């Protein structure tokens, strides 16, 4: 059997070495051809004021297959075991089964699709390549604390759209976004594009260090990463090149300040952002496969 580090490196050279999970419940299964497979199962419950509700169900059963798991049969057996476990617990309507797995594992994808999981979100990375200049009529500037109301309205507009093409929008979206956005506006890593003096687009970014033992090291190679958190163009201004111009500026600034590369989460089911981010030089590293509600897992 290939070691777990070897298996991940074979799948995708950009994956960091797998990190053993500190907690969870061990699930075991045997494939039709007699191979033993196992995974850890973690359970989360988010309360009404918890920010993860922006991108997550309230009740989550998250499966972490052992990193050396290989082949459709193995994932098939593990997902069968997960379904049996979920059946013993009667999940509510606001629930999900989730598996976050290297995007390039095609054999695993066969099993995920067969079990009714959908690729709802992906972590994508972009190497440290300086972007070309983009001609634009928009003027681009750093955002600050005074921009909070317009920034909040734009960030909320992201969820009006992603609420149609990915996770459902929550009634309390603005309240959930508020605290992190206020902090972000004080940190000089959010840019706004203005057209005729009106704010037309926003790119809210941040810094994330991936060092051995850190949470980020579970997903990203070591380094100081620019995190592109929320990018949105006001609905009436979409498709006119503002997003490209804004990201050219944001990428250049993050790279000038020493970013190893940049990363973000996007929804593969989003017909605008999936095309936009791939053209911006991003490619998926991890894909989050989800069944909502949890009993939709087959
Ligand atoms: C993704 C998004 C930020 C892109 O911003 P934008 O200002 O529309 O981007 P641009 O105009 O620079 O580029 C959009 C691309 O889609 C094309 N496009 C064509 N018609 C379009 C339309 N009606 N709407 C959006 N894009 C359109 C553009 O031509 C362009 O492609 P190009 O590479 O050929 O130039 C914007 O579509 C948006 O806000 N979407 C909703 C929120 C969202 O999904 N955010 C991202 C979350 S990860």
């Amino acid at each position: 059997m290939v070691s777990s580090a070897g298996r991940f490196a074979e799948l995708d050279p950009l994956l960091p070495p797998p990190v053993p999970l500190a907690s969870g419940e061990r699930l075991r299964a045997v494939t039709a051809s007699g191979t033993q497979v196992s995974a850890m199962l973690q359970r989360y419950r988010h309360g009404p004021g918890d920010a993860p509700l922006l991108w997550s169900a309230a009740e989550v059963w998250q499966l972490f297959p052992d990193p050396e798991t290989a082949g459709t049969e193995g994932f098939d057996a593990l997902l069968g075991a997960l379904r049996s476990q979920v059946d013993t617990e009667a999940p509510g309507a606001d629930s999900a089964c989730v598996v976050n797995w290297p995007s390039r594992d095609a054999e695993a994808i066969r099993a995920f699709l067969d079990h009714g999981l959908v690729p709802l979100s992906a972590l994508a990375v972009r190497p440290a390549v300086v972007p070309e200049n983009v001609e634009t009529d928009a003027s681009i500037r750093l955002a600050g604390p005074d921009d909070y109301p317009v920034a909040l309205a734009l960030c909320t507009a992201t969820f009006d759209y992603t609420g149609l093409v990915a996770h459902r929008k929550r009634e309390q979206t603005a309240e959930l976004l508020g605290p992190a956005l206020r902090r972000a506006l004080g940190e000089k890593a959010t840019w706004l594009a203005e057209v005729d003096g009106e704010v037309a687009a926003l790119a809210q970014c941040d810094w994330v260090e991936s060092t051995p033992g850190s949470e980020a090291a579970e997903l990203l190679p070591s380094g100081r990463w620019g995190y592109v958190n929320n990018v949105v163009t006001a609905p009436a201004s979409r498709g006119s090149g503002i997003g490209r111009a804004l990201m050219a500026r944001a990428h250049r600034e993050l790279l000038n300040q020493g970013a190893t590369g940049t990363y973000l989460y996007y929804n593969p089911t989003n017909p605008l952002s999936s095309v936009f981010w791939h053209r911006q030089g991003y490619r998926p590293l991890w894909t989050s496969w989800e069944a909502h509600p949890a009993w939709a897992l087959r």
Side-chain angles (χ1 to χ4, degrees):
M1 188 191 280
V2 182
S3 71
S4 55
R7 168 87 185 125
F8 269 30
E10 245 174 36
L11 279 174
D12 187 336
L14 275 189
L15 288 169
V19 178
L21 271 195
S23 63
E25 184 184 333
R26 173 79 45 205
L27 280 191
R28 295 179 199 281
V30 181
T31 68
S33 57
T35 306
Q36 302 213 355
V37 284
S38 86
M40 294 293 261
L41 176 61
Q42 288 189 354
R43 297 279 314 273
Y44 312 107
R45 267 176 214 279
H46 302 299
D50 293 344
L53 285 184
L54 289 166
W55 60 84
S56 169
E59 257 186 305
V60 178
W61 280 255
Q62 183 161 356
L63 189 74
F64 295 84
D66 288 354
E68 59 273 15
T69 311
T72 305
E73 261 203 325
F75 289 92
D76 180 48
L78 287 174
L79 291 167
L82 175 60
R83 173 70 214 215
S84 304
Q85 179 64 33
V86 167
D87 280 343
T88 65
E89 297 187 48
D94 189 353
S95 64
C97 288
V98 175
V99 192
N100 192 35
W101 192 250
S103 303
R104 291 187 175 176
D105 192 347
E107 291 176 350
I109 293 175
R110 181 69 270 152
F112 296 152
L113 291 171
D114 289 347
H115 283 266
L117 295 161
V118 175
L120 259 198
S121 121
L123 183 161
V125 287
R126 179 184 187 279
V129 176
V130 179
E132 285 174 16
N133 262 330
V134 176
E135 292 281 315
T136 179
D137 295 336
S139 73
I140 297 170
R141 64 169 175 86
L142 257 184
D146 292 348
D147 296 306
Y148 180 75
V150 72
L152 184 62
L154 273 174
C155 286
T156 309
T158 305
F159 290 85
D160 292 337
Y161 190 77
T162 58
L164 299 172
V165 298
H167 296 104
R168 278 178 197 284
K169 189 183 171 198
R170 304 269 177 194
E171 273 173 26
Q172 72 274 38
T173 292
E175 289 81 352
L176 295 174
L177 284 167
L181 181 62
R182 260 189 209 289
R183 273 195 304 280
L185 291 175
E187 284 168 7
K188 297 193 167 56
T190 296
W191 291 271
L192 295 176
E194 289 175 325
V195 178
D196 300 330
E198 298 283 326
V199 173
L202 164 141
Q204 179 195 340
C205 305
D206 200 352
W207 291 98
V208 170
E209 300 270 350
S210 172
T211 49
S214 67
E215 212 176 300
E218 293 170 18
L219 299 172
L220 291 166
S222 293
R224 183 167 184 257
W225 289 82
Y227 171 41
V228 178
N229 182 340
N230 193 340
V231 176
V232 57
T233 297
S237 301
R238 285 177 196 159
S240 59
I242 298 175
R244 281 173 56 221
L246 182 60
M247 285 318 299
R249 170 73 175 272
H251 283 137
R252 194 169 309 113
E253 299 257 3
L254 293 167
L255 295 178
N256 282 344
Q257 291 173 47
T260 306
T262 51
Y263 79 98
L264 49 77
Y265 290 90
Y266 74 101
N267 306 119
T269 48
N270 180 334
L272 297 181
S273 73
S274 54
V275 180
F276 181 77
W277 291 124
H278 293 179
R279 281 192 177 153
Q280 289 286 315
Y282 285 84
R283 62 84 153 175
L285 186 62
W286 296 90
T287 302
S288 180
W289 292 84
E290 310 194 5
H292 292 245
W295 67 73
L297 182 74
R298 286 201 290 267

